[in-house]
Amino acid sequence: MASSLSCKKVLLLSLALFQSAIVAKPLFPRGQNGTCTKTKVAVLGAGMTGIAAAQTLHNNSISDFIIVDVNDYIGGRVKHTNFGKDANGNPYVVELGANWVQGLVSPGGPENPIWTLAQKWGINNTYSNYSSILTYDQTGFVDYSSYFDDYNNAYSVLEQEAGTILTQNYQDRTMRTGFSIADWKPKKDVQKQAVEWWNFDFEYAYSPEQSSQTWAVVNYNTSFYQYSEANNFVWDQRGYNYFIQGEASTFLSPNDTRLHLSTNVTSITYTNNGVTITNDDGSCIEADYAICTFSLGVLQNDIVSFTPALPAWKQTGIEGMQMGTYTKIFLQFPPSSDGTYFWETPTADTQFYLYADPTERGWYPVFQSLTAPGFLPDSGIFFVTVVSAQSYRAEQQSDDATLAEVMAVLKKMFGEENVPEPIDFLYPRWSTESWAYGSYSNWPPGMSLETHQNLRANLGRLWFAGEATSAEYFGFLQGAYFEGQAAGNTIAGCINGNKTECKNEASYEVIRGCTTSERQLTPNNGWFVSSMETYGF
């Protein structure tokens, strides 16, 4: 035990030194006579995928690489900020992006690598108890929790049919179709709509009409059935990306000249012999290989130009996937005279509060308490989540307009006389953030595995990796991790002469139909584990 603690102290000390140094931007000039800086591998992005890729290169004895990121920190969409103040006037830290470890580990099964790393770096987190929920509508508290069981019963039917669709090469369909066949039909019942939003939209950032039945079930199963059904909420006051910075510190030294933050890539030229990256400050890199970890939103919005232009099959893969937006809107409230908060009646233990709006589905539907035991007691922080169309609307309008809408809902739920004015208010605008343009990806109905593989496939010496390129873990942090590792291992194989590892990704110039044959479920198409495993169930 003492040895383990000593190792952890060494890790934390090295990370502290590393964090104090990464704020400086290393010079990244043109070489002499106008030539570009040369490197073996350029890793474009310092989020989970980019750091996993670079670490994999390092583990394969490849040190000649450069990591480039437009932000001034390591972590990408795993991003936090200061919010509110505690009793001593110190700010709290809240997560704007990724917030959960989703799927942990079960006896006899594998362990989610994100859970492994979270434990390694001592990330503070608490189990999200999704049974700890109270239900409301415009009249206040109304118990419609029986609909949870109705939804779950229908989902059990739907997921069995999804397995049949996948293994029998049947045509994919929407989640809405699957639910309707399983006799879950919310129609105009706003309470059922709220329950459905809580169970589905809250996870995928899209509605059942916009989502694939087959791939939504695959995506759920590969994390929660393979690892465990647990979702653990990260409230670490160092920020969730502390563990990503920690992993970076194991192969990057303080002020490492291979890390180039605050560097904005504007164009990428790729061939079968190498890749040239140009930045907005006129600097450039010539790399033998490059790994593009830009978000799907960036690729879809043409923020970076590619030369030659992306082929039609590649562009179709990029545009075929969906980029969802998941917006957390934070409020900090003062306590009442007895030291409690208005949502803590009848109990302070409740974690979630579900609201069914009478006219609009997904209108500020799920509130979460961070004063509940195990999170940030006495913080007065209460936040609500919106997704997709509601995210776009809220993120386009002013803070004041959004605050007024949220407060109107809270007063309906808890009584106008019980809800004080907040002392702080904040939310991100992921849908307009030019280096992200969204939060995470979702698989639309009718998109085949082959089309998704075209999103994933390399172009010459340019590889693509990220949560969106993961066929099984899209939208999850583990997807970003695995895809970074895969790209890093492939390129390491090429550099080290390992012909088994060094091979082009599959791509498909012509794809007919919208089904996926079981024979296509291979590593060649990004399919690495069975979605039928049930270790965590």
Side-chain angles (χ1 to χ4, degrees):
M1 179 63 75
S3 175
S4 175
L5 289 174
S6 297
C7 288
K8 181 163 285 190
K9 287 179 180 178
V10 171
L11 280 172
L12 297 180
L13 176 61
S14 65
L15 176 53
L17 294 172
F18 176 72
Q19 287 178 317
S20 67
I22 61 173
V23 293
K25 177 186 174 184
L27 294 176
F28 190 22
R30 288 181 179 273
Q32 294 181 351
N33 302 319
T35 60
C36 294
T37 302
K38 295 182 182 294
T39 189
K40 283 284 186 186
V41 187
V43 179
L44 308 181
M48 182 74 265
T49 305
I51 296 305
Q55 186 175 50
T56 301
L57 294 171
H58 171 81
N59 292 343
N60 281 277
S61 301
I62 297 168
S63 59
D64 185 4
F65 57 80
I66 291 172
I67 305 172
V68 179
D69 198 282
V70 68
N71 293 306
D72 62 358
Y73 64 91
I74 288 173
R77 283 169 279 160
V78 187
K79 181 181 181 181
H80 60 269
T81 193
N82 290 338
F83 176 72
K85 292 181 180 179
D86 64 17
N88 297 316
N90 300 312
Y92 289 99
V93 169
V94 294
E95 299 298 329
L96 301 176
N99 216 145
W100 280 267
V101 184
Q102 294 171 297
L104 309 182
V105 63
S106 293
E111 183 166 301
N112 185 341
I114 304 303
W115 179 237
T116 305
L117 295 175
Q119 293 179 98
K120 175 181 176 180
W121 293 99
I123 298 297
N124 293 310
N125 62 91
T126 298
Y127 171 67
S128 284
N129 181 3
Y130 289 130
S131 296
S132 178
I133 185 169
L134 296 175
T135 55
Y136 297 77
D137 66 12
Q138 76 278 10
T139 67
F141 173 76
V142 177
D143 186 2
Y144 48 89
S145 59
S146 62
Y147 288 144
F148 294 149
D149 288 339
D150 295 341
Y151 174 94
N152 290 332
N153 290 338
Y155 186 88
S156 295
V157 174
L158 177 151
E159 70 177 348
Q160 294 297 321
E161 292 187 343
T164 301
I165 292 170
L166 187 65
T167 57
Q168 299 301 314
N169 196 22
Y170 292 165
Q171 189 179 69
D172 188 25
R173 57 198 184 194
T174 66
M175 283 293 292
R176 172 62 65 222
T177 303
F179 276 130
S180 295
I181 291 172
D183 204 29
W184 170 260
K185 301 179 180 182
K187 302 295 184 182
K188 299 298 182 180
D189 187 322
V190 297
Q191 294 178 348
K192 285 186 176 181
Q193 289 177 0
V195 167
E196 180 180 85
W197 196 101
W198 157 254
N199 281 283
F200 192 84
D201 300 46
F202 190 45
E203 182 68 45
Y204 294 94
Y206 274 94
S207 70
E209 286 85 356
Q210 298 167 299
S211 304
S212 162
Q213 176 179 346
T214 307
W215 296 97
V217 172
V218 164
N219 183 248
Y220 185 92
N221 288 5
T222 49
S223 282
F224 296 114
Y225 281 16
Q226 181 185 198
Y227 299 130
S228 77
E229 288 195 295
N231 269 296
N232 279 29
F233 183 91
V234 172
W235 50 268
D236 198 298
Q237 295 301 283
R238 299 165 299 181
Y240 193 1
N241 64 15
Y242 184 82
F243 88 92
I244 303 178
Q245 295 175 2
E247 287 303 289
S249 73
T250 65
F251 62 89
L252 294 174
S253 60
N255 292 314
D256 200 307
T257 57
R258 296 173 297 173
L259 176 63
H260 299 276
L261 303 177
S262 303
T263 302
N264 187 21
V265 174
T266 56
S267 65
I268 299 172
T269 300
Y270 62 93
T271 70
N272 289 325
N273 298 312
V275 182
T276 300
I277 297 101
T278 304
N279 308 307
D280 67 352
D281 61 1
S283 63
C284 54
I285 316 168
E286 286 183 355
D288 291 347
Y289 300 87
I291 305 172
C292 178
T293 75
F294 300 151
S295 81
L296 177 66
V298 167
L299 296 176
Q300 289 179 338
N301 282 277
D302 304 321
I303 302 303
V304 177
S305 64
F306 290 87
T307 304
L310 299 179
W313 60 263
K314 183 69 175 181
Q315 196 66 48
T316 300
I318 291 171
E319 300 296 346
M321 200 70 170
Q322 296 169 331
M323 188 64 174
T325 301
Y326 186 101
T327 310
K328 287 174 284 186
I329 301 171
F330 293 92
L331 304 96
Q332 185 183 35
F333 288 97
S336 60
S337 58
D338 64 0
T340 63
Y341 297 93
F342 64 85
W343 59 87
E344 294 183 332
T345 302
T347 173
D349 293 343
T350 304
Q351 294 185 18
F352 298 97
Y353 302 78
L354 180 63
Y355 173 68
D357 189 77
T359 59
E360 189 157 356
R361 184 182 182 277
W363 185 262
Y364 302 108
V366 175
F367 289 82
Q368 185 169 347
S369 170
L370 292 188
T371 63
F375 295 91
L376 299 173
D378 303 319
S379 67
I381 298 176
F382 204 46
F383 72 93
V384 62
T385 301
V386 292
V387 301
S388 293
Q390 296 294 359
S391 287
Y392 306 149
R393 190 191 55 76
E395 292 184 7
Q396 293 283 346
Q397 67 188 19
S398 68
D399 280 15
D400 287 344
T402 300
L403 175 57
E405 292 172 349
V406 174
M407 290 296 288
V409 169
L410 287 174
K411 289 175 180 180
K412 290 176 183 177
M413 293 172 67
F414 298 101
E416 187 164 355
E417 69 283 1
N418 297 320
V419 182
E421 288 299 307
I423 54 181
D424 205 355
F425 178 76
L426 174 148
Y427 65 98
R429 286 171 165 81
W430 286 110
S431 64
T432 63
E433 191 69 71
S434 62
W435 58 269
Y437 280 119
S439 302
Y440 53 84
S441 63
N442 184 53
W443 199 299
M447 181 176 171
S448 68
L449 182 61
E450 292 88 342
T451 302
H452 181 270
Q453 178 59 27
N454 282 348
L455 163 64
R456 193 171 183 268
N458 64 296
L459 295 169
R461 295 281 186 90
L462 175 64
W463 260 255
F464 293 80
E467 54 83 14
T469 68
S470 175
E472 299 176 298
Y473 304 99
F474 59 88
F476 287 113
L477 205 51
Q478 49 265 34
Y481 178 84
F482 284 132
E483 289 294 283
Q485 276 195 330
N489 278 322
T490 298
I491 291 174
C494 296
I495 294 172
N496 293 331
N498 184 336
K499 293 183 179 180
T500 301
E501 287 288 343
C502 181
K503 57 185 179 181
N504 288 323
E505 291 287 344
S507 62
Y508 304 90
E509 289 193 25
V510 177
I511 300 173
R512 293 183 171 88
C514 57
T515 62
T516 295
S517 170
E518 191 171 16
R519 66 176 180 274
Q520 294 293 337
L521 303 180
T522 66
N524 202 42
N525 286 323
W527 181 273
F528 296 100
V529 301
S530 170
S531 63
M532 311 300 176
E533 299 290 358
T534 57
Y535 294 111
F537 183 68

